[in-house]
Each structure stands twice: as structure tokens, then as C-alpha cells.
Amino acid sequence: MAEIKENYPLGHFNTMGINVNARYFAQARSIDEIKEILDNHRDCFPFYIIGGGSNILFTKDYNGLILQPAIKGINILEENLENTVIEAGAGENWDEFVEWTVKRGLGGIENLSLIPGSVGSSPIQNIGAYGTEVREVVERVNYLDLKTLKMVSLPNRECNFGYRDSIFKNHLKNRTIITSVVFRLNRHPVFNTSYGNLQAEIDKHGSISLERIRNAVIEIRRSKLPDPAELGNAGSFFKNPVVESARAQAIREEYEEMPSFPVDESFTKIPAGWLIEQCGWKGKKTGNAGVHEKQALVLVNYGDATGREIADLAEKISRSVFSKFKIELETEVNII
Ligand code: FAD
Ligand code: EPU
């Protein structure tokens, strides 16, 4: 039976390091424990699911139950000449899972090394980094449907994956508890080193391998992203905006150096970090909240910031980007 804790401090359960309390807190180690909580502890509701708390911002105490699915286990379901199909529990740590696959020579998620959080959250915003998105290897997502209380195994093609997007953020928002994710990994890895300075970083260490890609990604990430253990943050606070290519072209006429990435024939992605930097926010600090000095897309907690302070700073940043570029930034972080 899952233990329900009362007035539980969440400071260590969100990487922003916001010191709020949950009225109730529970970890569920199995599907049965999740069902037991849903059946027997309705008096503690509403409830909110967290994994590693690396993509959320608490703006006040949570007056309900914070439920953390802590279902563990990494199991090989199928092996053939090409692929290994693996089911990993929602409560497995994402980066430890990446390390596990790299050690076994299985390709597909090495570029997603060092992303914080749990396996269960990885499909929700279709985590991505260094030219790879998790949708490329997700076979299916297993979840408990909170409306029917039945288990569902949703195949990749029905997950509606997009850039930092999936069905779990839209049609199925607040309707699922993901219990495990099934991945199809490659026994003959195809290396993807086209992003930024990834290839150059690998070249410093010799010939290419999964391990070298993983180490290079870790090296690059450590050089520009703050470590939440030292400086509270939730990674990119906003998504990179996708705008009509004509709009991007108009901006480029004024700012020749603007970085951009074509999405398709009509649309272009502009790095939000660049837009925010152009508005003069990089390295700025207001009270305990600030904009990281090496990556303007990352908002940081310099100590005792409240979630409200961070959210207010985010709003000011959005407003100034809109007033300078007429581009609306969309928040990536879940504000609670
Ligand atoms: P949480 O923050 O705990 O939850 C996120 C959302 O998912 C919440 O809405 C929550 O309710 C829901 N949720 C969590 N678990 C479940 C579940 N089992 N069932 C149903 N709903 C659930 N992201 C990237 O894509 N790429 C990056 O490169 C990247 N870099 C980062 C770097 C840093 C330093 C940090 C702090 C964050 C970074 N992120 C990045 C964001 C974050 O790590 C990912 O979004 C990650 O997948 C969040 O996992 P989590 O377990 O911490 O989720
Ligand atoms: N840039 C600036 N100023 C800044 C930051 C970035 O000009 O302060 C420019 C860089 O010079 C570069 C471009 O923006 O030309 C892209 O920068 P970077 O490679 O650092 O990536 P990003 O677009 O800022 C995205 C993801 C990250 C992911 C990296 C690497 C989003 C919202 N963010 O950031 O994901 O790790 O690419 O692939 O898509 C996250 O989602 O939390 C996250 C950290």
C-alpha cells in the first residue's frame, strides 16, 4: 500500500528548487498502487502527477495530492537482427536509462543524454536534443486512462508527436498516468552528429561510437546549461517559435546574423534564446530570479525565488520579445 505523506516539502522534487509544500504526497511503485490511491484516497484530491519535476514551475503550495509514479524495471521484450525492443518503467531515471542502452551498444537515444527527468515523461513533450527526438524510437506508450480506469497501449503513430508536443499535452491532457514506455532501439546504430558543434567535440576524442556521442553531448550540455543541483532551473523555459518563413526573412533583413532552422517550405524555427538575448535579458537578475548568462532561454533561481517571481520574469521577457519582434513565445515549462 502506498504511504500518503502530509504537508510534504517539494523543494527536492522540482529542479527549479521552488520551496512549496504539497498538502499530500505519495509515490506509487506499481499500477496496483496507483489504482489503490485513486480508489481509496479521493479525499486527498485534486491530484497532480510528477516525474523528476524538471519541467514544472510551482507558483504556490499544492492543495491536493502530488503523485509520483515510481514504477521501475527495464525489460527486453524482443530481440531480432536489427532491433532490441525494451520496456522501461515510468519511474526509471531517463539519463540512467540512456546510459544502460549505450553500454549495451543500442543506438537511438545517445543524443538525448543528460536530459533530466523520468522515462514516463519522455514522450509527453517528445523530448529532443542534438538533432534527435524521442519519437524516433518510441514504439508505444502504456498508460492508465483516468476516465475509464483501463490500461491502454498507444502505438507511436497515435501519439501525435510534434516539436515538444504529443497527444498527452493535448487531447489526453490530465487524462493519463503513463506507467511505462516501449522503445525500439537499433543494434546497428546510425550516428547522428550534424547538430551544432557535436561532430567537432567527438573528433577531439577519436573515432565515433555511442559512448563518444554520449560523452560529447554531456560535455556540450555541461558547458552551457546550468546544473540544477547548483542553480535551480527547468531547462528551456519557452519553446523555439516556428514562424512563417517570410516573417523570418523580414527579421533577417534587419539582423543578418539571426540563426534559424527551416521546418518545411513555409515555416522557419527561430531560437528563442537569440530573441531573448536581443532584447537584452541574457545574464539579467531581478531579485532571486534571473536569465542564465550562457543560455538566455533558461530562467534560473538564484536562491529563494518564488515561483511567482520566475513566472513574472517570464511574462516580462515574453512581452519584450513580442514588442520587439511581434513573435509570441510559448511556454515549455508547465506552470502550476
Ligand atoms: P516533470 O517535470 O515531473 O513533469 C512534466 C509534465 O509531465 C507534467 O505536466 C507532469 O504532470 C507530466 N507527467 C510526468 N510524469 C508523468 C506520468 N508518468 N504520466 C503522466 N503525466 C506525467 N527537455 C528536452 O526536451 N530537451 C532537453 O534538452 C532538455 N534539457 C533540460 C535541461 C535541464 C537542465 C532541465 C532542468 C530540463 C531540461 N529539459 C529538456 C526539460 C525536462 O527535462 C523534460 O521535459 C523531461 O522530460 C521532464 O521530465 P520530468 O520527469 O522531470 O517531468
Ligand atoms: N542562442 C543565442 N543566445 C542564447 C542562446 C542561444 O543566440 O542565449 C542561439 C545559439 O547561438 C544557437 C541557437 O540559438 O545558434 C540554438 O541554441 P542551442 O543549440 O543552445 O539550442 P536551443 O535552441 O536554445 C534547444 C532545445 C534544448 C536542447 C538544445 C540542443 C528547445 C526549446 N530547446 O535549445 O532543449 O537541449 O536545443 O538540442 O527546443 C529543453 O527543452 O528544456 C532544452 C534544454
Side-chain angles (χ1 to χ4, degrees):
M1 254 186 18
E3 187 191 349
I4 308 278
K5 293 170 177 153
E6 278 192 57
N7 297 324
Y8 198 73
L10 295 174
H12 293 294
F13 286 87
N14 71 98
T15 60
M16 265 289 184
I18 305 294
N19 289 312
V20 290
N21 289 330
R23 180 85 179 86
Y24 302 103
F25 177 87
Q27 285 175 319
R29 287 178 185 74
S30 63
I31 295 172
D32 284 346
E33 280 196 356
I34 294 176
K35 286 183 173 165
E36 189 257 322
I37 290 170
L38 297 180
D39 282 347
N40 299 335
H41 296 285
R42 291 191 167 272
D43 52 325
C44 302
F45 291 1
F47 70 92
Y48 190 81
I49 311 294
I50 62 164
S54 63
N55 209 26
I56 53 182
L57 175 68
F58 287 107
T59 55
K60 55 183 178 189
D61 287 340
Y62 188 74
N63 193 18
L65 171 73
I66 294 287
L67 175 58
Q68 186 181 48
I71 301 169
K72 299 282 188 182
I74 299 177
N75 298 305
I76 294 178
L77 302 184
E78 182 193 327
E79 259 178 318
N80 58 42
L81 286 177
E82 296 299 321
N83 304 122
T84 299
V85 180
I86 302 168
E87 178 174 12
E92 288 290 340
N93 173 276
W94 173 259
D95 191 50
E96 286 171 14
F97 175 58
V98 175
E99 186 180 29
W100 186 98
T101 63
V102 166
K103 278 200 175 130
R104 282 158 184 78
L106 299 171
I109 52 176
E110 59 281 0
N111 293 44
L112 304 180
S113 291
L114 210 67
I115 296 180
S118 60
V119 164
S121 318
S122 64
I124 294 176
Q125 70 156 9
N126 175 27
I127 55 170
Y130 297 92
T132 299
E133 288 182 333
V134 79
R135 67 164 153 192
E136 292 157 36
V137 293
V138 168
E139 177 87 350
R140 35 181 210 278
V141 178
N142 297 326
Y143 66 85
L144 180 70
D145 185 318
L146 292 168
K147 211 164 172 187
T148 63
L149 291 184
K150 294 217 163 71
M151 286 300 300
V152 178
S153 187
L154 200 71
N156 179 308
R157 65 176 182 282
E158 289 176 31
C159 291
N160 297 353
F161 286 125
Y163 164 62
R164 295 294 188 276
D165 202 17
S166 75
I167 194 168
F168 304 104
K169 286 180 71 176
N170 296 297
H171 294 319
L172 292 179
K173 192 175 168 71
N174 298 328
R175 234 191 95 171
T176 67
I177 298 182
I178 294 173
T179 54
S180 68
V181 184
V182 178
F183 302 90
R184 180 175 289 273
L185 299 178
N186 204 333
R187 298 182 68 187
H188 310 285
V190 182
F191 305 123
N192 171 6
T193 60
S194 54
Y195 189 96
N197 58 343
L198 183 53
Q199 184 64 50
E201 187 61 41
I202 294 162
D203 290 343
K204 284 189 204 161
H205 302 279
S207 61
I208 198 162
S209 66
L210 289 178
E211 197 103 42
R212 289 229 168 88
I213 295 182
R214 173 168 165 78
N215 290 339
V217 167
I218 290 175
E219 194 65 32
I220 297 170
R221 292 181 68 97
R222 286 204 173 125
S223 73
K224 51 180 165 183
L225 289 170
D227 177 355
E230 287 160 17
L231 192 58
N233 75 92
S236 301
F237 202 88
F238 302 98
K239 290 190 194 181
N240 286 327
V242 173
V243 302
E244 283 185 3
S245 299
R247 175 86 201 99
Q249 186 51 35
I251 300 175
R252 194 172 298 100
E253 271 158 30
E254 202 176 334
Y255 301 88
E256 263 173 46
E257 74 296 352
M258 179 186 80
S260 66
F261 306 90
V263 173
D264 56 29
E265 279 173 8
S266 319
F267 289 94
T268 297
K269 195 188 273 178
I270 301 179
W274 182 84
L275 294 168
I276 296 168
E277 184 174 349
Q278 295 308 305
C279 294
W281 286 103
K282 198 168 183 172
K284 281 269 161 67
K285 192 175 168 195
T286 58
N288 280 309
V291 180
H292 191 50
E293 59 193 10
K294 293 186 192 150
Q295 223 315 350
L297 194 43
V298 178
L299 303 194
V300 294
N301 173 4
Y302 280 107
D304 289 327
T306 60
R308 240 312 101 218
E309 270 181 280
I310 306 266
D312 286 347
L313 174 61
E315 269 170 44
K316 283 188 194 141
I317 291 172
S318 275
R319 276 204 296 272
S320 70
V321 167
F322 186 77
S323 108
K324 195 174 174 80
F325 294 104
K326 299 286 171 286
I327 291 177
E328 297 253 20
L329 291 183
E330 191 185 333
T331 306
E332 176 185 303
V333 171
N334 299 279
I335 300 179
I336 306 163

